[in-house]
Amino acid sequence: MRRRSKRGPNLSEATGKIGQEIPSDQPAPLVPQYPDETPAKQTGAKPAAAAGSGRIEVETQPDMPPIPTRPPSPSERTPKGAPKGTVVLAIGLPGSGKTTWFGRRGITPLSSDLLRNILFDDVEEQRYQGLVFSTLRSLLRARLIARMPMNYVDATNLSVHERRQWIKMAKSFGYEVQAVFFDVPLEVCLDRNRQRDRSVSEEIMRKMAERLKPPVFEEGFEKITVVRVKNAN
């Protein structure tokens, strides 16, 4: 008779052959040095994380978003040598402002919460992480097959391991990948979380914060947008 595992609940968003648990031998990711709100080109300094052709932008909450650009027409989507489109990954803790960021821009992303509601009639259902995120990846794959130019994923995407599967899929279809990293202090996220009708326990939030790794260009991102809280220390 097989003995049942005594592991705690799986909080990972990773799925597939490499399993749902983060490998113990995974190397630590590089820690980027993000610039302040003043663009690097004005100071003459180049941020350490911006090696190569990647681009970094910095935003603050709650400034008004820029006017969305017009999506390219089918004839404009695939000029010779250009990517077919873009996949944008949100990265950040619950309460960091990801869903609000999308909503204020009029964007409907592929969302793990929305999918839980569709599959289980319960946005708080957490027992089927593997099923939720394998289905979410299938939806993105369908959009890439249909050559949709802009694709957004609203999930925590905390670790390099979890982001790797999204990036690999996008690159295999000829898409570039961008990150929107919500660099929001844990205490701010905890405070926002307490005010929600549907909140995550503080213990789980702190465990998630330990797993959060900032995105770096070496993962395959072409652009990293850093969103910070205005006037935060």
Side-chain angles (χ1 to χ4, degrees):
M1 176 184 250
R2 296 181 61 184
R3 302 177 67 181
R4 291 186 178 180
S5 172
K6 295 184 179 180
R7 293 180 180 178
N10 174 32
L11 302 177
S12 172
E13 296 173 357
T15 59
K17 294 182 180 179
I18 54 179
Q20 297 182 3
E21 302 295 333
I22 300 177
S24 60
D25 60 349
Q26 179 178 307
L30 299 176
V31 179
Q33 299 294 321
Y34 291 117
D36 294 328
E37 280 70 18
T38 303
K41 64 180 180 181
Q42 294 182 4
T43 64
K46 294 183 178 180
S53 60
R55 312 188 305 280
I56 285 183
E57 291 185 2
V58 178
E59 297 180 6
T60 56
Q61 302 171 349
D63 288 346
M64 290 301 293
I67 298 174
T69 57
R70 174 183 63 83
S73 64
S75 62
E76 298 172 325
R77 290 180 189 175
T78 56
K80 189 174 182 180
K84 294 178 181 178
T86 305
V87 173
V88 180
L89 300 184
I91 299 169
L93 295 171
S96 61
K98 301 184 298 300
T99 302
T100 300
W101 188 90
F102 284 120
R104 292 173 65 236
R105 286 160 176 76
I107 296 170
T108 301
L110 297 177
S111 165
S112 54
D113 283 349
L114 176 62
L115 196 55
R116 288 188 186 96
N117 203 32
I118 292 173
L119 293 176
F120 314 117
D121 299 325
D122 183 1
V123 73
E124 298 185 32
E125 176 59 73
Q126 297 291 327
R127 291 178 297 173
Y128 306 103
Q129 286 286 86
L131 177 59
V132 168
F133 284 95
S134 62
T135 304
L136 203 61
R137 288 184 175 86
S138 295
L139 292 176
L140 176 62
R141 180 181 177 86
R143 288 184 60 88
L144 302 185
I145 290 173
R147 296 193 176 186
M148 301 304 292
M150 294 300 300
N151 305 273
Y152 300 88
V153 179
D154 180 7
T156 57
N157 292 310
L158 299 177
S159 69
V160 174
H161 177 65
E162 292 165 355
R163 300 191 288 258
R164 183 181 300 137
Q165 298 177 65
W166 296 110
I167 295 170
K168 183 177 180 180
M169 179 191 296
K171 298 283 187 181
S172 70
F173 279 89
Y175 280 65
E176 77 168 29
V177 189
Q178 300 179 7
V180 181
F181 173 47
F182 292 79
D183 187 17
V184 178
L186 173 60
E187 294 307 318
V188 173
C189 295
L190 286 170
D191 184 61
R192 291 176 177 175
N193 180 65
R194 294 185 194 104
Q195 300 176 40
R196 289 176 164 183
D197 293 333
R198 178 179 59 87
S199 61
V200 180
S201 74
E202 182 169 333
E203 179 184 2
I204 290 179
M205 287 279 289
R206 292 190 180 278
K207 287 181 179 179
M208 295 176 78
E210 292 175 359
R211 291 172 43 223
L212 176 61
K213 301 298 181 185
V216 293
F217 294 118
E218 287 79 359
E219 293 180 65
F221 294 113
E222 298 294 331
K223 175 183 174 182
I224 297 174
T225 299
V226 183
V227 181
R228 293 173 175 149
V229 178
K230 201 169 188 177
N231 299 325
N233 293 326

